[in-house]
Amino acid sequence: MIVAGEPSGDLHASHVVQALKAKCSEISFHGMGGDMMVEAGVSLDIHIRDSAVMGFAEAFAVLPKFLKKQALLKKRIRQQPLDALLLIDFAEFNMPLAKYANAQGVPVVYYIPPKAWAWRPGRAKKLAKRANAIASIFPFETEFYQDAGAPAEFVGHPLVDFAKTDLTSTQAREKLGLQNNTQVIGLMPGSRRSEVQRMLPIMLKAAANVVKDYADSEWVLPLAPGISEELISHCTEGIEGVPTIKLLHDLTYTAMRAATLMLITSGTATLEAACIGSPMIILYRTSWLNWRIINALTPLEHSGLPNLIAKKRIVPELLQDDLTPNTLTELTLDLLRNPEKLKTQRDSLNTVFQQLGESGASERTAQLVLEQVASARNPTQ
């Protein structure tokens, strides 16, 4: 059984399934996931449509649905003997499943484990008791879990395998129909509708300000899966002076390579930009309640993944009340006017990329799964 609860988990799970099938063709798969897992050969008990939530308030609202889905998967675990349970990210949903499967004697492998190093560190010790193997994607995360007594192994970050492009900046601009001698700014407001509605108007108001100084600048917005052009258009309504924004489908990494600067909502996309080497500003805003809870639970100096990995502020962040159209305008203009700051950031991002490990995270995770299956079948070996 494989359980993923969000589009990113669906993607990573599909790659592990492909790696497992390459190593052992007779494996059958079922569980919870999305279309990419289906394409990889997983029979879904539950589809993840509408499962992804952002923030604690939203999580409470969908709690009854989550509990119903958990109950269904627990029933499947009881009724159909499993050789292994593979959990992908989605901590609040998957941690109870890990506990339940472990109690049933099912080997549990957790790929992309809970960010216990960021908040609620006690989860590391809980997972040490519930998981037979933890496939960790950050070196510092691996050490954190090992210190808690958990069977963690660094498998590398899955983005290393596919967050890349062979295009030069000039070639990327040509492909997107952009000028080679202008400032290109990329906008990535998020992968969820609520995120886009909250973040994009701020970005657009800042864009309207920036074009007053850079009239020939060009703007691109790679659309996340499930985000429609209609939603983007709706967010633009009522904002004066917004420049023409080229909406892109399935060209995220090309846009990152073409961009002088990316404005990105905090999340996995910031690490994708780090892999490409794209200078960025990390942005984040949520509801007042979510922000209060985050501040109470998260004793971190930084929010963005590149900064967390670097253990210092290499990428500027504008979070919550600090994020306004004016502050974003000022910071964007400062970076555009100072190419040396952009170069310094690119150099630092390359250092972060080097810490993500070598390609093959999915294959190494698949091998961990097979090792746990073999160990369970032959406990004396």
Side-chain angles (χ1 to χ4, degrees):
M1 178 184 285
I2 303 178
V3 182
E6 297 180 300
S8 61
D10 180 41
L11 170 66
H12 300 318
S14 69
H15 287 297
V16 177
V17 169
Q18 292 166 3
L20 280 166
K21 291 171 72 174
K23 294 174 180 289
C24 187
S25 60
E26 67 268 23
I27 300 178
S28 61
F29 306 89
H30 69 95
M32 172 173 156
D35 294 339
M36 285 178 281
M37 286 173 59
V38 172
E39 291 176 8
V42 180
S43 175
L44 293 186
D45 303 308
I46 301 172
H47 198 286
I48 62 170
R49 295 184 189 94
D50 303 323
S51 288
V53 295
M54 181 182 177
F56 297 93
E58 292 183 21
F60 282 122
V62 300
L63 183 59
K65 291 183 179 180
F66 274 29
L67 292 176
K68 186 176 180 179
K69 292 175 181 178
Q70 280 183 343
L72 175 60
L73 294 176
K74 288 177 181 179
K75 182 178 179 180
R76 288 299 307 271
I77 291 172
R78 290 195 306 271
Q79 293 179 339
Q80 181 175 336
L82 299 177
D83 288 296
L85 171 65
L86 175 62
L87 303 172
I88 317 285
D89 202 0
F90 210 47
E92 303 307 321
F93 187 92
N94 278 336
M95 283 287 285
L97 282 181
K99 180 179 180 179
Y100 185 82
N102 178 266
Q104 300 295 315
V106 177
V108 176
V109 178
Y110 209 125
Y111 181 36
I112 313 178
K115 297 177 178 62
W117 41 268
W119 63 287
R120 291 173 58 192
R123 292 182 297 174
K125 291 186 177 180
K126 288 182 179 180
L127 199 54
K129 299 175 181 179
R130 301 175 184 179
N132 299 79
I134 296 174
S136 175
I137 61 175
F138 299 114
F140 68 87
E141 177 182 74
T142 307
E143 295 176 6
F144 181 88
Y145 271 101
Q146 289 175 343
D147 289 344
E153 182 173 320
F154 178 55
V155 297
H157 201 289
L159 285 180
V160 172
D161 285 313
F162 54 86
K164 54 188 175 182
T165 175
D166 294 329
L167 299 176
T168 65
S169 176
T170 298
Q171 291 170 335
R173 291 187 176 201
E174 289 177 353
K175 183 173 182 177
L176 298 179
L178 304 170
Q179 299 297 314
N180 196 40
N181 58 348
T182 61
Q183 304 283 12
V184 175
I185 297 94
L187 306 178
M188 295 191 70
S191 59
R192 301 179 178 95
R193 185 180 180 88
S194 59
E195 249 181 344
V196 173
Q197 291 172 325
R198 183 178 291 118
M199 302 298 298
L200 185 55
I202 300 173
M203 294 181 176
L204 295 176
K205 290 174 184 177
N209 293 332
V210 171
V211 294
K212 295 174 183 177
D213 286 56
Y214 289 92
D216 63 346
S217 59
E218 299 188 83
W219 300 73
V220 296
L221 194 161
L223 290 166
I227 300 300
S228 66
E229 294 189 12
E230 289 75 18
L231 175 60
I232 303 302
S233 177
H234 179 73
C235 291
T236 309
E237 294 176 1
I239 303 176
E240 296 183 1
V242 176
T244 299
I245 298 174
K246 181 169 290 191
L247 303 183
L248 306 174
H249 296 269
D250 302 320
L251 291 167
T252 298
Y253 302 140
T254 302
M256 287 179 171
R257 179 53 55 83
T260 310
L261 178 68
M262 299 290 300
L263 311 183
I264 308 181
T265 295
S266 184
T268 303
T270 63
L271 204 54
E272 291 178 291
C275 291
I276 302 296
S278 303
M280 72 190 97
I281 301 173
I282 296 174
L283 314 173
Y284 186 76
R285 177 179 279 185
T286 186
S287 69
W288 175 85
L289 176 59
N290 282 335
W291 187 247
R292 290 292 297 270
I293 295 173
I294 289 170
N295 275 312
L297 296 175
T298 310
L300 295 176
E301 291 184 50
H302 314 297
S303 170
L305 287 169
N307 293 333
L308 289 169
I309 296 170
K311 298 182 179 179
K312 61 181 181 179
R313 185 68 61 89
I314 63 171
V315 177
E317 299 180 358
L318 289 175
L319 313 177
Q320 203 62 9
D321 293 340
D322 291 334
L323 174 58
T324 67
N326 287 339
T327 57
L328 181 54
T329 299
E330 293 171 4
L331 188 50
T332 300
L333 289 174
D334 178 61
L335 290 172
L336 294 179
R337 290 167 180 162
N338 294 279
E340 71 280 0
K341 291 185 178 181
L342 297 176
K343 182 182 183 305
T344 297
Q345 191 182 142
R346 279 193 292 269
D347 293 340
S348 297
L349 291 173
N350 183 58
T351 301
V352 167
F353 175 71
Q354 298 302 322
Q355 296 181 59
L356 297 180
E358 299 179 355
S359 61
S362 300
E363 288 74 14
R364 286 187 284 274
T365 301
Q367 186 59 38
L368 277 180
V369 173
L370 294 178
E371 289 172 0
Q372 292 306 317
V373 171
S375 178
R377 290 182 173 181
N378 303 284
T380 59
Q381 292 186 6

